Amino acid sequence: MSMRTAKEHLDTILDELKVAQRQRVPLAEAVGLVLAEDVTAAVDLPGFDNSSMDGYAVQAASLEGADREPVELRIVGELAAGVARDVEVGPGEAARIMTGAPLPAGADAVIPVEQTDGAPDGVVTCRAAVAPGQFVRRRGEDVRAGTAVAWAGNVVGPRTVALIAASGHAECVVHRRPHVLVVPTGDELVPPGEPLAPGQIHDSNSTMLQAAAVAAGATAEILPAVGDDDDALIRALDEAMGRADAIVTTGGVSMGAYDVVKSALKDKGVDFVSVAMQPGKPQGFGHVIESSTRRRVPLFALPGNPVSSYVSFEVFVRPALRRLMGLEPEVRPVHPAIVTTAMRSPAGREQFARAVVTRDAAGHLVAEPVAGQGSHFIADLSRANALLVIPAAVTTVAAGDQVEVVLLDGEVCS
Ligand SMILES: Nc1nc2c(c(=O)[nH]1)N[C@H]1C(S)=C(S)[C@@H](COP(=O)(O)OP(=O)(O)OC[C@H]3O[C@@H](n4cnc5c(N)ncnc54)[C@H](O)[C@@H]3O)O[C@H]1N2
Ligand code: MOO
C-alpha cells in the first residue's frame, strides 16, 4: 500500500469528480443547490405602479395647502390589492386605495388614511399635503423584465427563491442534489433498536453517515448490512447503484481476514491506500461500474471504526459531495485556538483529534481535547464540536499552545 497525505488523497478524489448534471426542479427543492443557469425576470417588479399605504390615491396638486387648511376630495371609487385598475382620478378627486393595489389612472400620489377622516365614500377630508410620487411603488423600480436576477454558480437560499418566484418562475435549473448510498459491512452488525446476540453491535455508522450526507446537502439511503462475503457485496451494489450518485461503504478495508470491501472491490476500480492520518488511515476510493448501464459511480470505502468513519467522511466525502453539487469551498475553514491540555500525536500522521471548542471572555477560541481519542469512543465523538488538527511533523503539543481547529457545527458558544 502506498502512503499519501490527507491533502493528496482529497486532491485525487476531487480531480476525478465532475459537477453533477443539471436538472430543472421546483423552487422548494432547489434550496441549498447551485444554479446551473442564469434566471431572467419574466415580469417587471413591481409589475405595476401601486400604493405602499392604505389611504387615498390623489393628484398631489389637489392637496396643495391641505396641511394648513383641510381639503375635501370627492371619492370616485375604491381599489383593493388584486383588482384591475378601472378607476380614474381627476383634480379634486380621490380613490380609496389599499396597500399593493394598482394606482388608478390620473393619480400620482397617495395620502395615508391616518392623515384623513377615513371616509369610506362620498367626500374625504384630507389634512396633509403630498408630494408627487409619495407612497407610490413604481413599476420596474426593483427589477426590469428581461434582466438577470440570479446567476449560474449562485447558491439558492430562501432569499433567492423569493426573487425567482416573484420574477415569474416556479422552477429553476440547478446541479442535481446527489443521492448517496450508505453500505454498512460486517457480520457483527444489527440495525439500531434490534436485540443483540453475543458479539453483535448496533450499526451506528450508517445512521451517522446518512445524517452527515444529508447535512452536506445530499439525500441518502442505507442499504441492509452486507456480511463478510464478496459476492453479496457486489450483488448489493449492483442492485442499488443505479439510483446513486455516490456510494459510501463502511468497514472491511484494513488487514483482517474478512475485509470484504477491500477484497471485493480492489480489482473493480477502487484503490485502497494508507493515508498518513489518524484516525482514518485505511481508505478506498474509485469508480465502480454498474453492469447493465456501464455508468460509473464514485465509491468511498471508509474504515469501520466509528470515529475513523466520521473523520473520513468529514475530510474526504463532504468536500467531494460539495464538488458534485458545484459548491465552494471544498473544505471547512480552520481557526486558531489555544489547547487546554498537552497532547501526543504519532510521527508522520496528521491527527484529527476531537475537541470541545468554546470561546473565552476575550473572544478567543479554546480547544479542550476529549478524553477518549481512540477510534471507538462514540460518546466523546458526540460530545466534540471540532476537529483539532495536528500536522504530521508535530508529535507533542503543550497546554497553552496554539493549534488549528475545524468547527464541525459552525459557530461556537462561549
Ligand atoms: N492488523 C491491522 N489491523 C488493523 C489496522 C492495521 O493497519 N493492521 N488498522 C486499524 C485501523 S487504523 C482501522 S481504522 C480499522 C479499520 O477497520 P475496517 O475498516 O476493516 O473495519 P472493520 O474491521 O469492519 O471494523 C472496525 C471496527 O468498527 C466496527 N464497525 C464496523 N462497522 C460498523 C458500523 N456500521 N457501526 C458501528 N461500528 C462498526 C467494527 O465492529 C470494529 O470494531 O482497522 C484497524 N485494524
Ligand atoms: O486509522 Mo484508524 O482509522 O486509526 O482508527
Side-chain angles (χ1 to χ4, degrees), residues 277-282 303 305 308 349 375:
M277 66 191 284
Q278 186 186 50
K281 184 176 67 157
N305 279 323
S308 316
R349 285 174 80 180
S375 303

Side-chain angles (χ1 to χ4, degrees), residues 89-100:
V89 171
E93 294 178 342
R96 211 171 166 224
I97 194 165
M98 308 304 151
T99 304

